[in-house]
Amino acid sequence: MATQQQEEFGFGTQIRKSPYFDATVRWGAKGFSVYNHMYIPRDFGNPEQNFWNLVNDAILCDVAVERQVEITGPDAAQFAQLLTPRDLSKCAVGQCKYVLITNAEGGILNDPILLRLEENRFWISLADSDILLWAQGVAVNSGLDVTIREPDVSPLQLQGPKSGEIMKALFGDSITDLKYYWLREYDLDGIPLIVSRTGWSSELGYELYLQDGSKGDELWEKIMAAGAPFGLQPGHTSSIRRIEGGMLSYHADMDINTNPYELGLDRLVELDMDADFIGKAALKRIRDAGVTRKQVGLVIDAPALTGPNTRFWMLEKEGQQVGKVTSAVFSPRLEQNIALAMVSAEFAEPGTAFEVALPSGAATATVVETPFFDPKKTIAAT
């Protein structure tokens, strides 16, 4: 008698599965979305419980969708600088930097973490956009001696207050010396890794960059076993915590038509450095002219949102549309609906009130300072 073959989950081979995909399904992933042409787990049950797991203990997240663009060659450092307005001249080997990648008009193409692994070897750990193609295109006409490729690298994020203890269980006490936004190479029982003190959570955390995709299942299970005594749970990046921390999501809070000054990210733009970068002239013009809109934080006076927004919600002032909510969620810790929004610059002052069009009806939204929680970002850096 023939046995019926169990159908595999998926949309087809054009959407790639991470080395941890099977493990996440085994550990309870109930829903996925697509990011950088790959599946990313978005649902392990209750998103509020995922938030509490993150802020009280620790969660392990499959973020292999953070694809790496590797830059190597004699001119690698000059080329990396060409892509970003942040000054990389003091970026040491073993250091990470949060950077913006801009186009010739000063628009933001991506906001990745840049890792300097060697003098002439960089990784750009991507948000959701095709920077591999952009970098290869720039390289063709740059006149620089570089090689641009996507290596076999798949990150995991181990995030939360217990993550340090779990990392000690895995790597020993030496891991405690790893400073915020620095990296180190490890071999974990034959599994080749780059480990960095970074993550998309605003909590203490680490990213483990697996350099051999065939060992994804083994790495996942090893981390979960080490974390069991500390309450480690499988999880997904938390919209609640990232909005609390004022962390930006590409395509939601910014895109190719957004410039750094609108986001208040002036610190990532070094217009006075000697080195050239794509968008330098445009960003000088934007700085000198000033911006017509700004990103702000909002508190929305309405019943608790049942989940993050899936559309941009329009903001009105005296009957005129003056902006839009880009990211919104209910924070169970703050007991408020909190949001990030882009508004006309004249209405960006704290205390300004708007009418916001929620799916449930009109409500009042008021501008507040961000981040909403841990404003000095001390938790992640400690």
Side-chain angles (χ1 to χ4, degrees):
M1 179 178 175
T3 57
Q4 186 175 1
Q5 185 176 357
Q6 183 177 359
E7 291 188 10
E8 286 192 351
F9 172 82
F11 301 120
T13 54
Q14 75 272 26
I15 308 299
R16 296 184 290 176
K17 294 178 178 177
S18 88
Y20 317 111
F21 180 85
D22 292 338
T24 62
V25 172
R26 196 166 58 244
W27 279 84
K30 301 184 185 327
F32 295 78
S33 65
V34 176
Y35 190 106
N36 277 330
H37 314 290
M38 293 183 69
Y39 297 90
I40 181 171
R42 295 293 198 192
D43 183 359
F44 276 88
N46 184 336
E48 183 174 327
Q49 186 58 55
N50 180 72
F51 165 78
W52 290 120
N53 292 342
L54 167 63
V55 301
N56 291 329
D57 297 303
I59 59 174
L60 183 64
C61 304
D62 173 6
V63 292
V65 297
E66 293 175 2
R67 305 314 296 165
Q68 308 305 301
V69 172
E70 183 176 78
I71 305 167
T72 56
D75 298 327
Q78 185 179 349
F79 185 82
Q81 183 64 82
L82 185 62
L83 298 180
T84 178
R86 185 162 192 184
D87 185 357
L88 302 181
S89 63
K90 296 178 182 177
C91 182
V93 173
Q95 194 169 14
C96 312
K97 295 282 187 182
Y98 176 54
V99 302
L100 302 175
I101 294 178
T102 49
N103 66 9
E105 290 74 44
I108 297 172
L109 302 178
N110 207 278
D111 67 325
I113 301 296
L114 180 139
L115 301 86
R116 189 170 197 172
L117 294 95
E118 301 169 15
E119 192 68 26
N120 289 313
R121 183 180 174 217
F122 296 80
W123 286 350
I124 302 172
S125 189
L126 296 177
D128 186 17
S129 70
D130 292 306
I131 294 302
L132 176 65
L133 304 181
W134 170 259
Q136 288 180 338
V138 170
V140 167
N141 296 300
S142 68
L144 300 176
D145 186 356
V146 292
T147 299
I148 312 295
R149 71 183 190 104
E150 181 183 298
D152 176 12
V153 175
S154 300
L156 286 170
Q157 288 195 12
L158 178 63
Q159 304 285 305
K162 305 276 184 67
S163 61
E165 293 300 314
I166 298 168
M167 291 294 283
K168 282 201 293 183
L170 287 163
F171 298 100
D173 289 344
S174 67
I175 195 69
T176 60
D177 297 334
L178 186 60
K179 295 183 291 185
Y180 191 46
Y181 269 73
W182 287 78
L183 64 89
R184 191 176 295 164
E185 191 168 1
Y186 281 95
D187 184 292
L188 181 63
D189 300 328
I191 303 174
L193 299 169
I194 298 293
V195 175
S196 66
R197 265 285 312 276
T198 55
W200 205 57
S201 74
S202 294
E203 295 288 324
L204 171 66
Y206 298 82
E207 290 188 275
L208 297 89
Y209 294 80
L210 172 65
Q211 299 185 88
D212 180 353
S214 70
K215 298 184 182 295
D217 209 86
E218 180 185 356
L219 177 61
W220 179 280
E221 294 295 341
K222 193 178 288 288
I223 297 171
M224 290 304 301
F230 303 98
L232 176 64
Q233 296 293 323
H236 55 89
T237 54
S238 172
S239 295
I240 300 170
R241 187 63 186 97
R242 78 100 177 158
I243 296 173
E244 277 189 352
M247 301 185 77
L248 307 180
S249 178
Y250 193 76
H251 291 308
D253 306 304
M254 60 180 148
D255 58 24
I256 194 172
N257 298 310
T258 312
N259 68 67
Y261 295 103
E262 293 172 322
L263 300 174
L265 294 178
D266 309 32
R267 63 185 178 83
L268 302 181
V269 180
E270 301 281 353
L271 295 175
D272 296 330
M273 66 178 170
D274 292 334
D276 196 15
F277 61 84
I278 297 170
K280 190 172 189 179
L283 288 169
K284 282 183 177 178
R285 290 194 300 269
I286 293 168
R287 179 199 61 185
D288 294 344
V291 295
T292 60
R293 59 181 192 163
K294 290 184 177 180
Q295 188 189 71
V296 298
L298 298 175
V299 169
I300 300 175
D301 184 12
L305 300 172
T306 57
N309 59 312
T310 58
R311 300 171 187 250
F312 297 118
W313 296 336
M314 295 303 108
L315 293 166
E316 290 190 355
K317 185 75 174 174
E318 298 176 354
Q320 298 295 314
Q321 184 178 316
V322 295
K324 63 182 181 180
V325 173
T326 57
S327 295
V329 76
F330 176 74
S331 167
R333 170 162 52 192
L334 301 178
E335 299 182 333
Q336 289 178 315
N337 296 316
I338 58 176
L340 301 175
M342 188 67 77
V343 302
S344 296
E346 62 191 292
F347 300 118
E349 287 300 312
T352 304
F354 305 98
E355 184 177 271
V356 56
L358 304 181
S360 59
T364 299
T366 305
V367 177
V368 296
E369 299 283 355
T370 58
F372 298 91
F373 186 82
D374 186 28
K376 296 187 182 298
K377 300 273 190 179
T378 56
I379 293 174
T382 301

